[in-house]
Amino acid sequence: DGGITQSPKYLFRKEGQNVTLSCEQNLNHDAMYWYRQDPGQGLRLIYYSQIVNDFQKGDIAEGYSVSREKKESFPLTVTSAQKNPTAFYLCASSIVGTNEKLFFGSGTQLSVL
Amino acid sequence: AQTVTQSQPEMSVQEAETVTLSCTYDTSENNYYLFWYKQPPSRQMILVIRQEAYKQQNAMENRFSVNFQKAAKSFSLKISDSQLGDTAMYFCAFMEYGNKLVFGAGTILRVKS
């Protein structure tokens, strides 16, 4: 089955620690995205990538970093510079240039210990 | 920057009745796409309906339909014959060319038996 896999489902971060959230897709989509969702709020774009080895900042990129070394993978690192990392993180992918819908993963809940 | 506004934080409806969720957006673009996504308690994002701005005809998917008013920049979602499984957070979203999806803050819909 084609789809997007996010792991882990739950993640805990200690003070000063960097953590990496995984996102893998086998849909052969060129574009991938990371969104952050705070309780009772909408989704805000962190980073997106439309092609391998290239990515752009979204609206709330500070304290986060990404890489896109492979088409299938778009990991997100939450760095120690992100002072309020507790949130639900959603990864998505889409076909570039068609304005078709985004396909979403099942999300990772990140909490601070 | 494009913005999406959902003015109803919470709504409730009796089972089998009809409910309308409101959404307005702001853009200077002429060609774009609008979406309604549903997020049930599982937090999986599910596409409900999609509307292309160049099409005047309102989109429909079974019990879900939209009222798209381009000049007013309004995109409301009507759910007919509401079911308990419709209970979820509903997000209105805007996409311009380039596939960046901008979300509203969401409306929590509770369907009561």
Side-chain angles (χ1 to χ4, degrees):
Chain A
D1 282 344
I4 301 179
T5 302
Q6 287 188 243
S7 62
K9 193 172 179 67
Y10 299 95
L11 187 58
F12 298 91
R13 193 190 92 164
K14 295 179 181 178
E15 286 285 337
Q17 186 182 43
N18 292 354
V19 292
T20 297
L21 284 61
S22 170
C23 179
E24 304 276 334
Q25 55 98 0
N26 60 4
L27 299 166
N28 200 33
H29 287 169
D30 287 304
M32 296 187 74
Y33 312 80
W34 276 106
Y35 286 90
R36 169 179 171 143
Q37 185 179 22
D38 292 283
Q41 296 188 31
L43 282 67
R44 292 182 290 168
L45 184 63
I46 305 172
Y47 269 99
Y48 65 104
S49 168
Q50 295 191 316
I51 194 169
V52 174
N53 293 323
D54 188 42
F55 47 82
Q56 286 76 41
K57 293 181 180 179
D59 301 317
I60 55 165
E62 186 174 349
Y64 299 97
S65 66
V66 292
S67 62
R68 189 82 188 278
E69 297 177 1
K70 298 187 300 181
K71 187 176 184 178
E72 301 80 15
S73 178
F74 191 41
L76 174 74
T77 297
V78 184
T79 74
S80 57
Q82 172 50 246
K83 298 306 180 188
N84 184 23
T86 296
F88 187 60
Y89 291 85
L90 280 160
C91 180
S93 71
S94 71
I95 300 169
V96 171
T98 64
N99 288 311
E100 291 294 326
K101 67 175 183 176
L102 267 61
F103 289 77
F104 285 87
S106 56
T108 293
Q109 174 64 50
L110 175 62
S111 303
V112 176
L113 290 176
Chain B
Q2 286 77 19
T3 58
V4 178
T5 302
Q6 293 180 249
S7 58
Q8 304 151 316
E10 294 188 30
M11 291 193 72
S12 61
V13 63
Q14 287 295 129
E15 204 174 2
E17 293 187 350
T18 296
V19 64
T20 298
L21 309 184
S22 301
C23 173
T24 58
Y25 57 94
D26 185 29
T27 183
S28 57
E29 300 293 325
N30 192 46
N31 295 319
Y32 50 87
Y33 292 76
L34 294 160
F35 302 81
W36 279 98
Y37 276 88
K38 169 184 175 180
Q39 188 180 42
S42 67
R43 297 200 284 187
Q44 179 69 49
M45 294 290 285
I46 302 166
L47 178 67
V48 175
I49 202 164
R50 173 178 177 268
Q51 174 80 44
E52 295 145 325
Y54 63 84
K55 287 187 178 179
Q56 292 189 335
Q57 186 173 5
N58 290 324
M60 288 187 64
E61 288 287 342
N62 301 316
R63 297 182 295 108
F64 299 88
S65 61
V66 298
N67 183 4
F68 174 48
Q69 301 289 329
K70 191 173 183 179
K73 296 181 183 176
S74 171
F75 184 60
S76 61
L77 175 69
K78 185 171 83 170
I79 306 174
S80 304
D81 186 25
S82 297
Q83 300 176 359
L84 295 176
D86 295 334
T87 292
M89 177 84 100
Y90 286 81
F91 293 102
C92 179
F94 170 96
M95 178 189 282
E96 61 176 359
Y97 186 81
N99 296 78
K100 284 174 58 179
L101 203 58
V102 177
F103 287 87
T107 296
I108 298 172
L109 175 66
R110 294 187 176 88
V111 180
K112 300 179 179 179
S113 58

